[in-house]
Amino acid sequence: MTRPFRVSTALFFLLMAVYSLLRLGFYLHNLAFFEGVEGWEISTAFLHGLRFDIAALLLINAPLLVLFLLPGDPSRWRWARVTLFVLFCAVNIIGIMLNVADFEYFGTIQRRLLFEPYSMAPDLLRMAPSLVTAHSWPVLLFLVAAAGMCAVAL
């Protein structure tokens, strides 16, 4: 196996682990909403979540994978390695941020985020300081998850 293939596979499994931990955190944080749900249903939902994560992560990271797996190993050049790393972190930090935001959003609205971040962007930016102070633990979780993912990917 070539080095770029090994690295991209390892990063993919890293992202799968991060998203699985986020799903577990979401479940534990919102446990009151799932009281009447059977254990086998939760297990099935987690398995379906893994399938969704595989599809979503491949779709989100497809352009980066194509660039990283180009013939001739573009990662041998420092500028290409840094550019791919920055793009990888930026793209995946957005996904982690939206996942963490769901922890609190679900408790308020009883559904996951859909298109709201796009349609409410000006309002969210205006409310950001108060949201950060009111919900400091999800912000901390986001920072730890994002920093951990980028540190391991480095």
Side-chain angles (χ1 to χ4, degrees), residues 60-110:
I60 290 168
N61 290 289
L64 296 172
L65 280 170
V66 169
L67 291 173
F68 191 68
L69 297 174
L70 284 173
D73 189 13
S75 65
R76 67 180 170 200
W77 297 298
R78 180 168 169 72
W79 66 268
R81 222 176 19 253
V82 169
T83 303
L84 288 171
F85 175 75
V86 168
L87 288 173
F88 172 81
C89 286
V91 164
N92 289 293
I93 282 174
I94 292 169
I96 290 171
M97 181 180 64
L98 291 173
N99 242 305
V100 171
D102 259 352
F103 281 41
E104 293 293 326
Y105 187 79
F106 184 83
T108 305
I109 309 295
Q110 280 83 48

Side-chain angles (χ1 to χ4, degrees), residues 135-154:
H135 304 287
S136 56
W137 83 263
V139 172
L140 182 62
L141 175 65
F142 161 70
L143 293 173
V144 168
M149 180 205 58
C150 288
V152 171
L154 193 72

Side-chain angles (χ1 to χ4, degrees), residues 46-73:
F46 269 75
L47 286 174
H48 288 292
L50 287 174
R51 286 180 37 207
F52 176 82
D53 289 346
I54 290 170
L57 291 172
L58 287 175
L59 183 65
I60 290 168
N61 290 289
L64 296 172
L65 280 170
V66 169
L67 291 173
F68 191 68
L69 297 174
L70 284 173
D73 189 13

Side-chain angles (χ1 to χ4, degrees), residues 117-134:
Y118 308 108
S119 64
M120 297 172 36
D123 293 333
L124 289 173
L125 289 174
R126 185 177 38 76
M127 296 183 322
S130 62
L131 288 172
V132 167
T133 55

